[in-house]
Amino acid sequence: MATDVRLDDDPTESWVTIDGQVLNIAGSDLILSSTERRGTHGGQFRRALVHDTNDGLTVNFAHDYTGGVKINGASLNLKVVSQGQKSELPKAGNAGDLVLTRNVTSIEGGAVVGESFTLWLCTGSPAQTRRLNAAASWLPISTGEAVVGTSE
């Protein structure tokens, strides 16, 4: 497949069209900014996506978009932190982080006879120990009984 960059592709608006299978950005920040849609945030940047210093992908870096992030039709896949008989929560965490743990029950020989999942919410480090790099605190999120899906 050939690639192409077309400027002013739409005669009624200022468009840049990029045709290709992969858009490779050799940088850390993707900035989307529209002066007429800008809210009350007085910052210089509108960083939509940032390759952060923890080798993570951060959306709305530094809360640059005061209206927050809205995801329509989202499907979320949380990282499972462990797959053993004992799940361990990360020592580091920020208030609002979510972690899914999977606990497996197996019998001798390794056959899995049961599993359970727990969703955890990070409340950050306790205020009195925050400066000491203390471990994050996690709260389990209670859910109801499992329901079997029925729609295709």
Side-chain angles (χ1 to χ4, degrees), residues 11 14 19 27 37 43 45 47 53-54 57 77 81 97 100 106 115 123-124 126-127 133-134 143 149-150:
S14 297
D19 284 329
R37 294 182 181 181
F45 302 111
R47 292 157 292 194
T53 57
N54 294 318
L57 179 64
N77 183 4
V81 295
D97 288 352
L100 180 70
S106 58
E115 66 182 346
T123 59
N133 248 356
T143 59
T150 59

Side-chain angles (χ1 to χ4, degrees), residues 84-104:
Q85 292 190 0
K86 180 183 176 195
S87 290
E88 295 182 11
L89 293 166
K91 181 177 180 179
N94 296 311
D97 288 352
L98 291 173
V99 168
L100 180 70
T101 59
R102 175 180 180 233
N103 294 299
V104 175

Side-chain angles (χ1 to χ4, degrees), residues 7-26:
L7 305 177
D8 294 327
D9 197 29
D10 183 322
T12 63
E13 297 186 45
S14 297
W15 283 44
V16 175
T17 302
I18 301 172
D19 284 329
Q21 291 186 326
V22 175
L23 177 61
N24 182 9
I25 300 174

Side-chain angles (χ1 to χ4, degrees), residues 3 6-7 9 36-37 45-46 53 56 62 67 69-71 74 82 84 98 103 106 121 123 131-132 137 148-149 151:
T3 60
R6 296 187 306 276
L7 305 177
D9 197 29
E36 57 272 3
R37 294 182 181 181
F45 302 111
R46 286 290 194 259
T53 57
V69 175
K70 179 179 177 182
I71 302 174
S82 66
L98 291 173
N103 294 299
S106 58
L121 172 66
T123 59
R131 290 186 179 173
L132 303 174
S137 296
V148 176
S151 66

